[in-house]
Structures are given as structure tokens and as C-alpha cells.
Amino acid sequence: MTQWETVIGLETHAQLNTRSKIFSAAATAFGAEPNSQACAVDIALPGVLPVLNRGAVERAIRFGLAVGGNIASRSVFARKNYFYPDLPKGYQISQYEAPVISGGSLAVAVGEREITVRLTRAHLEEDAGKSLHEDFHGKSGIDLNRAGTPLLEIVTEPDLRSAQEAVAYAKALHALVRWIDICDGNMQEGSFRCDANVSVRPAGSAALGTRCEIKNLNSFRFMERAIEFEARRQIEVLEDGGRIVQETRLYDAQKDETRPMRSKEEAHDYRYFPDPDLLPLAISEEWIERVRGEMPELPGAMRERFTRQYSAAPAEAAALTATRETARYFEAAVGAVGDPAAARVCANWIAGELAARLNRENLDIGAAPVSPEQLAGLVRRIADGTISGKIAKEVFDALWNGEAADADACIEAKGLRQISDSGAIGRFVDEVIAADPESVAEFRAGRQKALNALVGRVMKVSGGKANPQQVAELLRARLAG
Amino acid sequence: MPLTREQVARIADLARIEILPAEAETLQGELNRIFTLIERMRAVDASAFVPMAHALDVSQPLREDAPAEPDRRAEFLALAPETEAGLYLVPRVIE
């Protein structure tokens, strides 16, 4: 039986987070009343002329620098001609032969592996409006607020070999555009949309198979399922002796399948030509250098630094650099502890308790009720043995709920200071040994697990305040006799 | 390479321009004269020149990123044949 290989290339439309549109001064805010942010340029009234938004170009430059692409000193806007009611001009202003960014690449972690995904290009274009298909007496409603919103279309080479790799790339790209603050990444609102070009070929073959383009992948989960379905479909067609027809397909999440979208292939004859309304875009070296000077440290470089500076494990470094806000939080906390050796403890708390609580309450780290400084105060008291890890969770809860201004106040107010006095702990230990002869006998018979049970009981008796290491030591000493 | 009548019909269809058979013939002739001119220009050695994207040899002025358009929805909607709930209504489009 033939072994098949899936080949995927992704095209991503990232809405650039400018305040105004790419070719007009209408606002881009999401969720406004229909057509209230569609000016004469956006609705294509006769006689209007587009004027390019500097902010959109600057965001393209940021992207080019982040992926190591070539930033064209001269690029050209072209008209992509097709007819659809949400495209009022009858063409979309895009870039064709001379895009603003070409080349570059993105390093992507897929499980334990790292792959390098080459980028073909990234070009500036305008978004279309929205067609609302619910029934208006047999008609469709058109909202042109989105028309003219700046997009950066980011195109990869066919370098991805599985749905998992495609999703890992899309997630890495999503994190990057937010990191460099060019796109808000809100997938529900359509700020970050992916199309996948999928083909299959016999493993080992160098030639590419005929591809289908899947549109409408508005979540990472759907992307994975759609690509998997599409690859299976193509393999079945080929194994049955059929051939793949190049077409655009739509993913239907409800049925978990892809189906053909446009029947008329002529719709793809876009007749691109340079837009006579727009002059070539010139980007000077000085401009690029100024933007370079304003770029934040990129996630890849930061991951490497965290590994070096704080001896973070690769997975830990990846979690801490998932977003710029997380990285900022981490560095603020480590800085406030004032001891780089405590970095791992900070990292554990951020990736563990804090991440879990944020996730449960659906909050961004920027809105965390526990500040980096408060977390640092907590970590300091764990490090100096004032409280145990278990009690620390209680303190964390109190900080989260706003019951105390800082860890020290909470420890004092609730009397949570760890008991490290061996006399006091010894009394708890004796009490438990007397009360639980069974566990004592089991431990003496060589079962290590019984010790854990005894430690647990001592901790309980002490109200969680005994130093667990001391408890274990004292138990061993007492029971060894 | 002269355009066929079918190609003329296809271009008209793509541009959503309705043409009568007689017009198609005239257009075919006119378009082919333009193509002949293009062929003649192609024969000239222009390898030393960078193609221009615009007749003016200047670059695009840029606008600062600041919203500055008032909401003129009522005026614009009034231009359309049919509207409802702030939307422009068009013949049903289904994909």
C-alpha cells in the first residue's frame, strides 16, 4: 500500500491594529453600528482616491524585521479584480508582483522537535466588507465597516507536513503578531484568519500533488480537523484511481467535512494590474532602522536568554514567552524577588497556579489580581522557609481574592508562619506515632509509602504549618529507634 | 497571438460587460490592434530599464494613522436602492 505524505502551505490574513483604515481615515474599531465606519473611499463612491496609512506600512516593516524577511525599498499596489457585493469597488487593492516583504522564516516548536517554516511573502491589502446572509426578504445585507481594514497576508512555502505542524505554525505566527503588536489576534472577531493549501503525494516523491484550498479556518481546532479530513479525502480519491481537482473548499465544522465552495473557476481569473490610483511605496533604510530600534526582544531570543540566564527548561522558557505579557510578568517578579536563583520558583508559580487560575477565570495575565510584586513577596517567603509550598497556595488565594496587600501581611494576619521549631514539631510527631500504629508498623516493615501517610497526618495535625522536611526527618529518626 | 471571439466573450463576462455579437466583432478587432502594438513594443530591447508601475516617477505620500471621518451613514444609505437596519441590501449571495 502506498504511504502518503501531506503537504500544506498556509495563507494567513492578519488584520493590522491601526486606528484608521489602510486607504481612508475611517475608524477600524470592531463592533460599531453597521456602515457607520464606512466612508466615501470605503464604499467606493466615484471620484475618491486612496491614501496609504503610514501605520499599516510600519507594521509590515515590523513583521519583516521579526521574520528576517527582505523589506522592499519599493513595492507596488495592484488591483485584484472580482465581483462580490462586499467588495464595493469591484477590485481589492492588494500587492502582486512586488510585495512589501519577501522571504523570511519562522522557527516553530512541534512537540519536542523544531521546524523552520519558510515564508514566501507578506503583502499589504485591504479587507472586504461583510455579507450577512440571514434572510432580508430574499436579499443579503451588506455591512462595509470592515471594508478597507488593513491586512497583512502572510504566505508560507509548502513546508508543513501534517495538521499538527500547520497548527503549531499558526499558533507561533499568532503569538508573534501579537508580540510585535501589529495585530490583536482575536480569531472570533476575524482579526487572524487562515486558509490552508493541502495536497498529498506518495512518500518520497519530490513533485507536489494537486492542491485544494480550504477557507474559513477560524480556530486552531477547526484547522487541525479540516486538514486531516481533507488529506484523508484526497488519499481516498487517489487510491480509488481518481484525480484531485484544484478547487476552493469550505470547512463545515458541524459536519466535520470540507466541500467545494466556488463552482466557477473563472472567478479565480483576477486580472491583476498596478493600481493607477496609488504610486509605488518607497521604504527608506532610515525608516527601517528606526523601526528596528523600536522592536521588542523577540520570543525566540527571549526563550534562549531565559534558558541561559535563569536555567529554565525549554518547555518552561516556551511557556514563559507564550505572550509578551507573560514574559514581562515573569521578569518583573524575578526582579522584585531580587534573587535570580528564585527564578525557577517564580516560573513554576506563573506556569502553574497563576496560569490555572487565569484560565479558570478566563483572564489575561495583564488583568491578574496578583501582581508580579505580590508574587515575588510570596516566593521570598517560600525561599526563606517562612511558609511551606502548601501554605503558599493559601496565601496566593488570599492575595488573589484581595484579602491582603502582600504575602507578609497575610502570613501575619492568618498566623501561617511555618513551624520550624523541632520541639513543637516533635510533639506533633509523637502524637501521630501514638495514634497510627498501623502506618508505623508498615513503615518499619519497609514500606516507604507509609512514611508519606505519616507526614500527611503530622501536617494535618499542625494545621499545615509544620516544615514538611523537618517532619519527615523527625519521623525517620523516631522510627529508626 | 490574436484573440479569439471566445476569449473576447470571456473577458467581457469577467468584467460583467454585456456585449452584442456585432459589438464583439468590433471589440475583437480593436483589442487585436492593441495587441499588435504591444507585440511591436516587445520587439524593442528594453532590458536596461526598470519597468514603471505608474506614469509618474514619484512615490506614494503617506497619511498619519488617525481616524478623521465623520459618520455619514444616513447620507450614503440614501443613495442605495434598498437598505434595512443600516445595511445595504443586494440580491442574495450564497457560497
Side-chain angles (χ1 to χ4, degrees), chain A residues 18-21 24-25 34-35 51-54 83 133 137 139-142 261 266 269 276 279-280, chain B residues 10 13-14 16 54 59-60 62-65 67-69 71 73 82 84 86-90 92-93 95:
Chain A
T18 54
R19 297 170 61 220
S20 63
K21 293 190 177 173
S24 82
N35 290 307
V51 186
L52 184 57
N53 182 340
R54 177 186 301 278
F83 288 96
H133 299 298
H137 340 287
K139 306 215 164 179
S140 289
I142 303 293
M261 182 166 154
E266 65 197 309
D269 192 341
L279 294 155
Chain B
R10 179 175 156 78
D13 188 47
L14 283 172
R16 301 291 192 276
H54 199 278
S59 58
Q60 177 65 32
L62 300 172
R63 177 177 57 75
E64 291 308 314
D65 177 26
E69 282 286 344
D71 176 6
R73 177 171 81 161
E82 205 175 342
E84 189 178 310
L87 300 164
Y88 297 96
L89 296 194
V90 299
R92 193 97 193 237
V93 276
E95 289 236 348

Side-chain angles (χ1 to χ4, degrees), chain A residues 313-374:
Chain A
E316 220 168 36
L320 292 171
T321 54
T323 66
R324 213 165 137 193
E325 291 70 30
T326 309
R328 207 178 281 146
Y329 190 106
F330 169 68
E331 294 221 276
V334 174
V337 176
D339 176 11
R344 293 296 290 273
V345 184
C346 290
N348 282 336
W349 275 86
I350 292 167
E353 196 66 17
L354 181 71
R357 288 296 287 264
L358 291 171
N359 193 33
R360 207 178 316 149
E361 302 195 14
N362 205 13
L363 288 174
D364 285 331
I365 196 162
V370 178
S371 71
E373 292 71 25
Q374 286 175 315

Side-chain angles (χ1 to χ4, degrees), chain A residues 247-312:
Chain A
E247 63 188 355
T248 304
R249 299 175 70 88
L250 200 65
Y251 178 65
D252 184 331
Q254 245 123 48
K255 294 184 184 155
D256 189 22
E257 63 174 32
T258 66
R259 54 184 149 77
M261 182 166 154
R262 291 198 182 105
S263 48
K264 285 194 228 159
E265 270 310 296
E266 65 197 309
H268 287 289
D269 192 341
Y270 294 126
R271 294 148 295 136
Y272 284 96
F273 63 87
D275 191 331
D277 287 347
L278 286 154
L279 294 155
L281 166 62
I283 298 176
S284 66
E285 273 306 313
E286 294 74 50
W287 192 3
I288 296 172
E289 287 315 310
R290 187 173 58 69
V291 176
R292 196 194 301 276
E294 294 163 3
M295 290 287 281
E297 185 181 13
L298 294 172
M302 200 179 259
R303 266 198 300 279
E304 204 184 298
R305 180 166 64 79
F306 282 3
T307 324
R308 205 163 10 89
Q309 193 173 341
Y310 305 119
S311 336

Side-chain angles (χ1 to χ4, degrees), chain A residues 77-269:
Chain A
F77 286 95
R79 291 186 180 181
K80 177 179 180 178
N81 298 280
Y82 67 93
F83 288 96
Y84 204 72
D86 59 21
L87 188 75
K89 291 193 293 296
Y91 58 86
Q92 178 192 28
I93 304 178
S94 180
Q95 296 190 301
Y96 187 54
E97 280 175 301
V100 62
I101 308 293
S102 50
S105 65
L106 200 60
V108 177
V110 187
E112 295 297 303
R113 288 180 305 132
E114 185 173 279
I115 58 170
T116 298
V117 182
R118 292 170 299 156
L119 302 180
T120 312
R121 59 188 278 158
H123 64 253
L124 285 163
E125 61 182 29
E126 58 180 343
D127 209 342
K130 271 186 197 162
S131 304
L132 304 167
H133 299 298
E134 59 258 43
D135 197 6
F136 294 96
H137 340 287
K139 306 215 164 179
S140 289
I142 303 293
D143 174 9
L144 296 174
N145 278 353
R146 197 179 68 176
T149 299
L151 295 176
L152 190 65
E153 179 173 337
I154 303 152
V155 184
T156 74
E157 293 288 305
D159 280 357
L160 302 155
R161 292 292 174 270
S162 67
Q164 291 70 32
E165 287 189 8
V167 169
Y169 160 80
K171 283 184 173 169
L173 182 65
H174 184 254
L176 180 67
V177 296
R178 292 173 66 211
W179 189 283
I180 60 174
D181 194 22
I182 64 170
C183 169
D184 69 21
N186 190 323
M187 294 177 85
Q188 275 97 45
E189 293 177 2
S191 302
F192 187 89
R193 319 193 287 267
C194 295
D195 302 334
N197 285 299
V198 179
S199 64
V200 297
R201 65 183 175 190
S205 158
L208 291 169
T210 304
R211 68 170 190 265
C212 290
E213 183 181 11
I214 320 173
K215 291 212 177 271
N216 207 24
L217 303 173
N218 54 11
S219 81
F220 296 128
R221 195 162 56 93
F222 289 168
M223 176 188 290
E224 183 160 355
R225 281 162 46 182
I227 292 172
E228 276 170 357
F229 173 89
E230 179 60 17
R232 259 198 323 273
R233 183 191 72 85
Q234 292 186 13
I235 291 166
E236 275 169 30
V237 169
L238 294 169
E239 288 190 338
D240 288 348
R243 47 182 282 276
I244 304 300
V245 183
Q246 184 169 342
E247 63 188 355
T248 304
R249 299 175 70 88
L250 200 65
Y251 178 65
D252 184 331
Q254 245 123 48
K255 294 184 184 155
D256 189 22
E257 63 174 32
T258 66
R259 54 184 149 77
M261 182 166 154
R262 291 198 182 105
S263 48
K264 285 194 228 159
E265 270 310 296
E266 65 197 309
H268 287 289
D269 192 341

